[in-house]
Amino acid sequence: MTKVNVYVTLRESVVDPQGIATQEALQTVGFNEVESVRIGRLIELELAGTDSEIETRVKEMCDKLLVNKVIEDYSFEIGEVAGK
């Protein structure tokens, strides 16, 4: 089995209301050095196959279901599952 971490973020041109609210909250509690916050998500997958097969399949998964390509970007890392 191979573990894949998919990182999904809003495109730079998209306003991130959750990030703005988090930035304001951090500054309210004294973290004034925070100038910007962008909120994203992490998707963890475990797949079988070779690295090249997994890379192709993960791209297909992201393009078809996991990512809204109009407003989001993604990247991913392929690594071994620990302890297996």
Side-chain angles (χ1 to χ4, degrees):
M1 279 296 179
T2 301
K3 181 178 179 180
V4 178
N5 288 332
V6 180
Y7 305 97
V8 182
T9 56
L10 288 173
R11 291 187 177 197
E12 284 295 320
S13 61
V14 176
V15 174
D16 183 355
Q18 187 178 10
I20 292 168
T22 301
Q23 174 190 353
E24 291 171 356
L26 286 167
Q27 290 174 344
T28 297
V29 296
F31 296 102
N32 296 318
E33 67 273 18
V34 177
E35 296 180 8
S36 178
V37 176
R38 304 282 294 173
I39 303 292
R41 64 187 194 277
L42 165 66
I43 302 168
E44 295 179 338
L45 305 168
E46 288 186 17
L47 297 92
T50 66
D51 280 358
S52 64
E53 292 169 338
I54 289 171
E55 183 174 340
T56 299
R57 296 299 283 168
V58 169
K59 286 179 182 177
E60 290 173 359
M61 291 175 201
C62 290
D63 291 342
K64 290 183 180 181
L65 178 69
L66 300 177
V67 177
N68 179 344
K69 296 189 321 178
V70 174
I71 63 169
E72 295 176 322
D73 291 321
Y74 70 91
S75 62
F76 58 90
E77 297 175 332
I78 301 174
E80 294 299 316
V81 174
K84 294 191 179 183

